[in-house]
Amino acid sequence: MTTGAEQGEIAEVGSPVLVPADPVDGVAPWRWMTTVIAVATLFLGVFNAHAIAAWFDELPPSPYTEPLRAPIAAWAATTARLGLDAPRAAVRARWEQAQAMRFGSEQPGEDGSAR
């Protein structure tokens, strides 16, 4: 709703309905965001340590990465030994089964189109 349109002025007028304040505005948004990022990082660090180790192995050797190589490999081995990587391993196995599926006389490496 605007007022003063006859003089060329446009001014916003508040809503005639009482609308409660947004509940997100009452919460500390930085604290909430920091908590979400910390929980996601912890979750991925525990349940996806294999991917972190694989990524780290691809980094070029440097004075910064070499001291971390052994602890990261140990962490990945620990999570695997505790079975925390079982969901990731199950999804990976299903994906590899789907990739290995063949249709008709198709051979691995062929595109599968009829010739």
Side-chain angles (χ1 to χ4, degrees):
M1 185 181 341
T2 60
T3 60
E6 62 275 354
Q7 289 99 14
E9 299 173 8
I10 298 178
E12 292 294 324
V13 177
S15 172
V17 179
L18 291 176
V19 179
D22 189 1
V24 174
D25 292 339
V27 178
W30 287 102
R31 183 177 50 193
W32 179 84
M33 179 189 63
T34 304
T35 302
V36 168
I37 291 173
V39 168
T41 302
L42 180 64
F43 183 83
L44 290 173
V46 170
F47 294 104
N48 204 18
H50 178 272
I52 295 169
W55 167 77
F56 196 80
D57 286 341
E58 293 178 5
L59 293 176
S62 76
Y64 303 109
T65 59
E66 286 309 307
L68 298 174
R69 195 164 304 277
I72 289 175
W75 177 249
T78 300
T79 59
R81 188 176 68 250
L82 295 174
L84 298 175
D85 70 337
R88 183 207 58 82
V91 169
R92 177 70 179 190
R94 297 284 291 185
W95 169 248
E96 288 172 352
Q97 286 175 352
Q99 279 186 317
M101 289 176 54
R102 300 288 171 236
F103 300 97
S105 62
E106 177 187 12
Q107 296 299 315
E110 289 183 5
D111 63 1
S113 61
R115 293 178 187 203

